[in-house]
């Protein structure tokens, strides 16, 4: 039998980990069952309690310089470190980097979501007719990083986004921008406040950035509308009485421009991926559960609790390529998956890839299954603290990868890596 060295090694790896698949999936099965997708519905929300997002952002634009994501990429101020090999026990490694020393070790900012310009545009380049290769990563602020129930950091700074200039993979550079929600002050001035949410899964589609809102649905941000603010106040966010604007010391802030709220059966919006293999393109979300049963009593979840399904689910919504919003408010597909600790999901048609974590000291795994599967396939090992996923097809002409890869990110301090693995696990 003619087998390449990579294929031979893949066979050895699969055989060596086969015994570990059963315990992760309970009774050695990740049973996927198609359920009624019509029960999962979202409604677009164009405003908050202060007014329309568009009007608030137009008002801010009269006060602040407005730039786009490519301007941020041209103004990066931190240097990442290229990975010359796989971090820890990661398998099928293709490429990646680690953050600079400060971001590797910072206890209160935790990386969670990942997407790339290959999600934004099919050729992988940004903007349209541009040439930038960009990786975007979301972080959330953790006031109690040691989990002892006492906040070590009293000021919750919300969420931030890292835009990584990956034009030269040997020397990636990046800049953080603060995610904010536009508001109006009591005196009638335009301002903004931090977005305090988990920042789990993210998808960049066209100019829009989708971020899951765990208990409610999605938040939307427009990467063509980023505001430049003063950097002199690291402990203040919004408009000062003197008319100056600040974003906790960050030079750029990205305001929310819309939202989709859950109005159907209750869901835990834990992670999100883009599927460019479906027709039309689609967003896919999945639910995290610690022990294989999703909990909805840990907060105020939107949606119908009377028909709650407590098995983790994968739910798909079709996208409209012309405006980059949802093509329908009703889900196009819904599947239950008997799998605990799903941290990331991305799909290619009926095949779904899951990143599955295993605590703070054991590496995670990448697994795949179809919508009608009774078992899941092991693809490769992932890093400790694996999180969100982003699929990067081999047809992405603007990048140098000759085969399809899946990007992943790991969250724990001093073990934070952004890396791509080969989608076939080889």
């Amino acid at each position: 039998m003619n087998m390449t060295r990579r294929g031979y090694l893949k066979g050895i790896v699969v055989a060596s980990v086969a015994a570990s698949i059963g315990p992760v999936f309970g009774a050695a099965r990740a049973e996927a069952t198609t359920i009624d997708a019509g029960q999962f519905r979202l409604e677009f929300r164009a405003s908050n309690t202060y007014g329309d997002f568009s009007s608030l952002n137009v008002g801010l634009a009269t006060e602040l310089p407005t730039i786009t994501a490519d301007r941020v990429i041209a103004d990066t101020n931190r240097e990442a470190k290229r990975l010359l090999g796989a971090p820890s026990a990661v398998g099928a490694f293709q490429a990646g980097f680690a953050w600079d020393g400060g971001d590797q070790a910072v206890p209160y900012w935790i990386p969670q979501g990942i997407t790339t310009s290959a999600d934004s545009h099919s050729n992988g380049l940004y903007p349209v007719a541009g040439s930038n290769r960009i990786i975007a990563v979301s972080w959330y602020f953790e006031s109690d990083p040691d989990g002892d129930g006492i906040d070590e950091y009293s000021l919750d700074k919300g969420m931030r986004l890292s835009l990584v200039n990956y034009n030269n993979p040997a020397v990636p550079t990046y800049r953080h921008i603060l995610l904010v929600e536009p508001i109006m002050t009591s005196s009638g001035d335009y301002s903004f406040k931090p977005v305090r949410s988990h920042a789990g899964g993210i998808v960049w589609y066209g100019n829009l950035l989708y971020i899951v809102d765990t208990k409610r649905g999605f938040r939307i941000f427009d990467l063509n509308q980023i505001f430049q603010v003063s950097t002199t106040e690291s402990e203040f966010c919004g408009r000062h009485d003197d008319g100056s604007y600040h974003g906790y010391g960050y030079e750029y802030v990205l305001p929310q421009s819309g939202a989709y709220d859950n109005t159907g059966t209750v869901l835990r919006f834990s992670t999100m991926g883009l599927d460019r293999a479906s027709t039309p393109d689609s967003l896919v979300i999945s639910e995290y559960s610690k022990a294989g049963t999703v909990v909805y009593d840990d907060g105020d979840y939107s949606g119908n609790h009377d028909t709650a399904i407590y098995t983790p689910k994968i739910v798909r919504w079709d996208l409209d390529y012309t405006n980059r919003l949802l093509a329908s408010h009703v889900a196009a597909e819904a599947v239950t998956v008997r799998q605990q600790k799903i941290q990331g999901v991305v799909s290619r048609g009926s095949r779904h890839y899951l990143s599955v974590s295993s605590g703070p000291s054991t590496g995670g795994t990448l697994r795949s299954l179809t919508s009608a599967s009774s078992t899941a396939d092991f693809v490769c090992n992932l890093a400790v603290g694996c999180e969100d996923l982003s699929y990067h097809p081999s047809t992405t002409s603007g990048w140098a990868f000759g085969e399809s890869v899946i990007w992943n990110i790991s969250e724990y301090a001093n073990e934070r890596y952004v890396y791509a693995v080969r989608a076939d696990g080889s």
Side-chain angles (χ1 to χ4, degrees):
M1 180 178 178
N2 185 16
M3 180 180 287
T4 64
R5 180 176 181 272
R6 183 188 292 175
Y8 175 71
L9 292 175
K10 179 184 176 184
I12 293 175
V13 171
V14 170
S16 67
V17 301
S20 69
I21 297 178
V24 176
F25 281 82
R29 305 178 74 82
E31 298 171 2
T33 303
T34 299
I35 57 176
D36 174 25
Q39 65 186 298
F40 301 106
R41 299 182 301 277
L42 296 166
E43 291 296 330
F44 183 75
R45 178 165 53 87
S47 62
N48 58 17
T49 57
Y50 302 92
D52 290 340
F53 288 120
S54 59
S55 297
L56 295 169
N57 286 331
V58 166
L60 284 169
T62 66
E63 303 287 336
L64 295 167
T66 304
I67 65 167
T68 56
D70 54 317
R71 269 281 304 277
V72 176
I73 286 298
D75 188 32
T76 55
N77 61 347
R78 303 189 184 208
E79 187 172 310
K81 182 179 180 180
R82 180 186 185 184
L83 293 175
L84 299 178
S88 61
V90 170
F93 175 78
Q94 180 71 30
F97 61 88
W99 305 102
D100 74 8
D103 289 324
Q104 279 285 8
V106 63
Y108 44 81
W109 281 114
I110 315 295
Q112 290 290 287
I114 186 167
T115 185
T116 77
S117 52
D119 286 336
S120 175
H121 299 296
S122 59
N123 69 353
L125 303 177
Y126 182 86
V128 174
S131 59
N132 289 309
R133 301 170 183 86
I134 303 172
I135 298 169
V137 171
S138 64
W139 308 60
Y140 76 96
F141 194 93
E142 177 55 75
S143 301
D144 179 22
D146 63 6
D148 63 357
I150 301 172
D151 287 345
E152 285 77 31
Y153 305 95
S154 58
L155 180 59
D156 183 349
K157 296 183 179 181
M159 301 192 299
R160 70 182 185 184
L161 184 75
S162 302
L163 290 180
V164 182
N165 183 333
Y166 206 64
N167 293 329
N168 181 359
V171 189
T173 59
Y174 64 99
R175 179 183 280 274
H176 303 307
I177 61 179
L178 189 72
L179 298 172
V180 298
E181 182 174 351
I183 63 171
M184 187 82 74
T185 68
S186 58
S187 57
D189 294 308
Y190 295 105
S191 186
F192 47 79
K193 64 180 181 179
V195 178
R196 295 187 169 114
S197 188
H198 187 64
I202 63 175
V203 163
W204 182 6
Y205 191 57
N207 60 305
L208 299 184
L209 180 73
Y210 287 78
I211 302 184
V212 290
D213 189 339
T214 308
K215 299 177 177 65
R216 193 164 187 172
F218 309 144
R219 295 176 188 263
I220 302 174
F221 300 80
D222 186 347
L223 284 164
N224 285 339
Q225 190 173 52
I226 301 170
F227 296 128
Q228 188 172 20
V229 297
S230 173
T231 61
T232 59
E233 294 275 358
S234 62
E235 301 298 304
F236 184 82
C237 179
R239 185 185 188 276
H240 261 316
D241 291 339
D242 64 3
S244 62
Y245 288 83
H246 305 265
Y248 294 133
Y250 294 100
E251 186 169 356
Y252 302 109
V253 300
L254 174 60
Q256 185 173 343
S257 60
Y260 280 100
D261 295 334
N262 186 18
T263 58
T265 296
V266 64
L267 281 170
R268 185 179 182 90
F269 293 82
S270 299
T271 187
M272 177 195 299
L274 176 70
D275 186 355
R276 282 193 175 276
S278 63
T279 304
D281 297 342
S282 56
L283 286 179
V284 178
I285 71 101
S286 189
E287 299 181 289
Y288 174 85
S289 66
K290 189 171 183 179
T293 300
V294 185
V295 176
Y296 302 116
D297 59 4
D298 61 339
D300 185 18
Y301 285 82
S302 300
N304 182 0
H305 291 247
D306 295 337
T307 57
I309 301 169
Y310 296 96
T311 305
K313 291 166 287 298
I314 297 171
V315 184
R316 179 195 305 272
W317 277 270
D318 289 340
L319 288 162
D320 184 340
Y321 180 82
T322 62
N323 60 16
R324 303 294 178 166
L325 298 172
L326 297 187
S328 172
H329 291 179
V330 179
E333 181 187 22
V335 178
T336 60
V337 182
R338 294 173 58 87
Q339 172 63 66
Q340 64 195 58
K341 297 184 178 179
I342 298 172
Q343 300 282 8
V345 65
V346 71
S347 301
R348 297 289 290 172
S350 62
R351 178 159 292 279
H352 312 290
Y353 294 86
L354 308 173
S355 58
V356 179
S357 64
S358 188
S361 58
T362 304
T365 53
L366 180 66
R367 304 176 186 275
S368 73
L369 70 162
T370 66
S371 297
S373 294
S374 60
T375 59
D377 300 322
F378 171 86
V379 179
C380 68
N381 289 316
L382 298 178
V384 173
C386 62
E387 287 292 328
D388 199 25
L389 299 173
S390 180
Y391 196 96
H392 190 135
S394 60
T395 54
T396 306
S397 57
W399 292 59
F401 300 138
E403 54 190 301
S404 298
V405 299
I406 297 176
W407 287 91
N408 182 237
I409 183 169
S410 52
E411 68 171 345
Y412 291 117
N414 298 312
E415 293 186 87
R416 291 174 178 155
Y417 308 108
V418 180
Y419 60 96
V421 298
R422 292 178 286 275
D424 64 0
S426 61

